[in-house]
Every structure is written in structure tokens, then in C-alpha cells.
Amino acid sequence: MRVNAESLNPYLRVKSSLNRFKSLQSQLLKWYKIHGRHELPWRNTNDMYHIYLSEIMLQQTQVNRVRDEYYPQFLERFPSLEILANAKQDEVLSAWSGLGYYSRARNLHKTAIASSFALPTTQKELIKLPGIGRYTASAICSFGHNQNIPVVDTNIARVIKRVFALMDTSEKIVWSHAEEFVNATEPRHHNLALMDLGSLVCLPKNPKCDECPLSSFCKGKTEPELYTQTKKTVYESLELFYGVLIEEEKIALKYSKEKLYKDMLVLPSVDPIEENLLGEFKHSYTKYRLNVKLYEIQDINDEKDEIVWINLKDFKNAAISSLTKKASKFFID
DNA sequence: ATCCGGTCGA
DNA sequence: TCGACCGGAT
């Protein structure tokens, strides 16, 4: 990795705002003032818990769902890090229900417990916490504390790769270029601008180079798609079979011990030999195309002790996945 | 039917 | 370094 004196010495780092990228940085900020997504709620708060929560929710998840539904509801239910720390994991998972990647919610809760007084304020400390990797640690430091550090998510990575014509290269190279490019006087706005540029202009396919403030410099603009090649995903079809057992307005569920839906409430699995088919639907996640079949069953064959009985009227608000929610259409009006 | 997106553990 | 983890949008 390229390590230069500027990146190690904070004094020289300030001087680097006079570096060769200065005009580029200023073009970028000018664009951001006009076209940036300034209305996002987590960009209009100083509360580090709010900023942290938004970054966890935004991992692998589209902005719209987070902004309109999960982020406001979660904050209403868990208004502070301390309240979150004192909640049961099951409550946290129920607030995350339907959002996917539930390890994020488990790690969020663990992190709240580990640092309920206040989150650390350095990238080095943040990255030790569960669920916080290099990107999120940097994002918290940059967006929350305006620290002079690079941030690289996939949008920013695409911009960096194109601007510097890096092709597909190792994470380290991309981060080191992002570090050289950081605007030392406006690091927060610089990184947010790069992120918005990546998601609004420097698109994976058909990037809008004519709207881009960096296009005059961009070394990759003649072949932008050279820098976004992805390996095609091979899908796999799978059949899943679940049993539905309802007694006295309560349904039999269990807590998943598998990696999939770990600690979430799931329907008990059954063998596909059952007679009473109740319904069938499709679902998908990662590379799997699922065809799910539900069977009405009379009793639980084994592991009876693991069953938890949930009132049907509580079902919708339980810690269940989207798959389980879809299933409920066949036994709840 | 394909696309989009961070962290973690093997 | 690679595959598993999620689900809605397009």
C-alpha cells in the first residue's frame, strides 16, 4: 500500500488541501451543494446513535426502505443507545423484522450493550465492535465527527476506480486512492458528495458523464463499464416445507438455531410427505429461489420442547422474517 | 429474471 | 479471498 508522509502526519495532511486535487474537490463540492441528498434524516442530526443506526440499516439495503419505514420506527421504539442496550434481543429482532440480514440487528444490540454510554469516536475502536467493519467505522467518523478520513462503499469505490482508471483492483489500492483524494478541509461533505455522485451520476451502467463534475479529469470515462464487471450469480432452486399447527388461537413456532434466520421465530420444518397442503408461495434470498410449501399438521413430531406458542394476534409483530410473514397469509385473515 | 449492497468466518 | 447472509426494486 502506498503510504506517504501526508497520510501519516496531520499537519502535512492539512497542507494537502492545497494538493493537485484541489480544483477537482471544489468542483465536486459545488455539484454536491446543488444535487446532493441533503434531506436524508441521518444527515441532519448530530446524534451519533442515529448516525450509527442509519449506517447499520443502510448496509446492503436501499435508502428508501430505511428512510420511510424502519429508521423512524426503530428510533421511536429505541430512542437511545441505552434503551436499546436494555431491551431484549427478541424485541430488537422484531423491530428489524422484514429488513433482512438479521445479524445486523443482533450485532447492533451487542454493540449497544458493549458501549451503551457512548460509541467510540475513532475508527480503530469502532472497528472492533460487532457489525462495524471498515466502511461503517469510517462512515461514522466522517459523517458523524467530520474526521479527515477516507470512506469507501461500493458507490465511492466505483467513482474512484473510474476517476483513477484503476480497473478492478484490491480493496487496499482503492482505499489508498480515496485517502489521497479526501478533502482535508471538508472531509464530511467530500465523502457524502462522492457517495451521492456514485449513486446518482456515476452509475454502474450508462453513467451520466455529461452531468459529472469530475468528467474533465476522469481517466476512465471512455470505458466506464470496464470498472464495474461483476461475476454473474448462479441461482439455485430449493423447496422448503413448513408445518402450520394452530391451537386455541396460538401458532407453534421455534427459534431458529441455523445461520439462516438465527434467533428469529420460524415455522417448524416438516417432511414433504404431509397430506394437507395449506398453501404454496415463492421467496428468494441471496442466490436461492425458494418454493415454499405449507402443510397443516396435527402435532409436532420431534423437538416438542423447542416449540413456542405465539398468539395469532401477536404474530405480525413478532421476530419473523419476510418469508414467515408471507406464509402467514395462508393462516391469518 | 436481474440488480443492488457491508460484515464475517472459513 | 470467497461464499453466506436478506429482500424489495426494476
Side-chain angles (χ1 to χ4, degrees):
Chain A
M1 146 151 135
R2 292 179 58 184
V3 177
N4 56 35
E6 288 182 352
S7 66
L8 298 175
N9 184 320
Y11 172 68
L12 293 174
R13 188 68 166 279
V14 170
K15 277 180 63 179
S16 80
S17 69
L18 300 169
N19 67 18
R20 62 197 166 100
F21 296 132
K22 192 171 182 190
S23 120
L24 215 50
Q25 293 166 339
S26 127
Q27 288 300 115
L28 179 63
L29 287 183
K30 201 189 299 180
W31 175 87
Y32 176 68
K33 280 190 177 63
I34 299 165
H35 298 106
R37 295 176 290 184
H38 305 291
E39 305 312 311
L40 297 174
W42 45 86
R43 292 189 183 179
N44 293 294
T45 176
N46 294 318
D47 189 318
M48 292 309 297
Y49 166 57
H50 292 206
I51 292 169
Y52 161 57
L53 175 67
S54 75
E55 287 302 334
I56 300 301
M57 283 191 168
L58 290 165
Q59 289 170 7
Q60 306 297 97
T61 306
Q62 313 295 336
V63 166
N64 291 346
R65 300 178 66 211
V66 171
R67 181 195 52 209
D68 299 338
E69 186 184 353
Y70 285 89
Y71 177 78
Q73 286 177 23
F74 195 97
L75 284 177
E76 191 169 339
R77 193 155 165 189
F78 307 105
S80 72
L81 201 56
E82 189 178 2
I83 289 168
L84 178 62
N86 291 327
K88 292 271 183 269
Q89 189 197 60
D90 188 66
E91 298 175 51
V92 181
L93 287 173
S94 80
W96 213 267
S97 173
L99 193 56
Y101 290 110
Y102 299 98
S103 65
R104 293 182 297 168
R106 299 195 306 270
N107 286 332
L108 181 76
H109 189 226
K110 282 187 206 164
T111 288
I113 290 168
S115 56
S116 65
F117 177 67
L119 264 354
T121 58
T122 64
Q123 191 256 15
K124 190 179 188 305
E125 292 297 314
L126 283 163
I127 209 165
K128 294 178 188 168
L129 293 164
I132 300 181
R134 191 173 182 185
Y135 162 76
T136 303
S138 300
I140 290 170
C141 291
S142 175
F143 305 155
H145 301 294
N146 199 24
Q147 287 173 22
N148 183 20
I149 56 167
V151 173
V152 179
D153 71 341
T154 70
N155 286 308
I156 295 180
R158 186 171 55 253
V159 175
I160 297 286
K161 286 177 188 173
R162 281 180 176 154
V163 167
F164 300 105
L166 298 184
M167 295 294 299
D168 273 45
T169 177
S170 74
E171 194 182 320
K172 280 171 103 169
I173 299 295
V174 177
W175 276 84
S176 73
H177 278 80
E179 179 166 11
E180 281 190 65
F181 191 34
V182 178
N183 184 334
T185 60
E186 293 265 22
R188 175 176 189 271
H189 288 152
H190 174 89
N191 287 323
L192 288 172
L194 278 180
M195 193 170 282
D196 287 354
L197 190 68
S199 69
L200 300 173
V201 173
C202 194
L203 304 172
K205 284 176 185 149
N206 306 315
K208 306 172 176 177
C209 297
D210 53 334
E211 298 175 21
C212 181
L214 308 182
S215 69
S216 65
F217 177 89
C218 184
K219 297 188 165 85
K221 68 179 168 193
T222 53
E223 280 186 280
E225 321 223 326
L226 201 58
Y227 306 92
T228 58
Q229 61 213 351
T230 56
K231 28 185 182 276
K232 61 162 185 268
T233 54
V234 178
Y235 290 96
E236 191 175 326
S237 294
L238 217 54
E239 293 240 270
L240 258 34
F241 312 97
Y242 292 112
V244 175
L245 174 53
I246 294 172
E247 289 177 2
E248 298 171 353
E249 296 297 301
K250 291 177 179 161
I251 183 165
L253 299 176
K254 54 204 293 186
Y255 283 104
S256 170
K257 294 174 181 167
E258 314 296 312
K259 274 185 302 185
L260 181 62
Y261 301 140
K262 181 165 163 39
D263 295 340
M264 303 284 285
L265 286 165
V266 295
L267 290 161
S269 290
V270 296
D271 295 324
I273 50 174
E274 311 283 339
E275 292 284 312
N276 306 309
L277 184 65
L278 183 63
E280 184 173 357
F281 62 95
K282 296 184 185 314
H283 187 69
S284 65
Y285 74 94
T286 57
K287 65 175 186 174
Y288 297 103
R289 322 277 213 179
L290 307 179
N291 190 48
V292 183
K293 291 184 176 170
L294 299 177
Y295 297 92
E296 212 165 354
I297 56 175
Q298 325 308 330
D299 59 76
I300 302 293
N301 291 329
D302 43 50
E303 299 171 331
K304 272 193 167 59
D305 47 323
E306 294 182 9
I307 294 299
V308 295
W309 293 89
I310 301 293
N311 275 313
L312 286 178
K313 62 178 183 303
D314 297 330
F315 184 86
K316 289 190 307 296
N317 299 316
I320 56 174
S321 66
S322 285
L323 187 158
T324 308
K325 266 194 223 286
K326 281 186 193 175
S328 71
K329 156 178 193 291
F330 295 96
F331 51 82
I332 294 181
D333 305 318

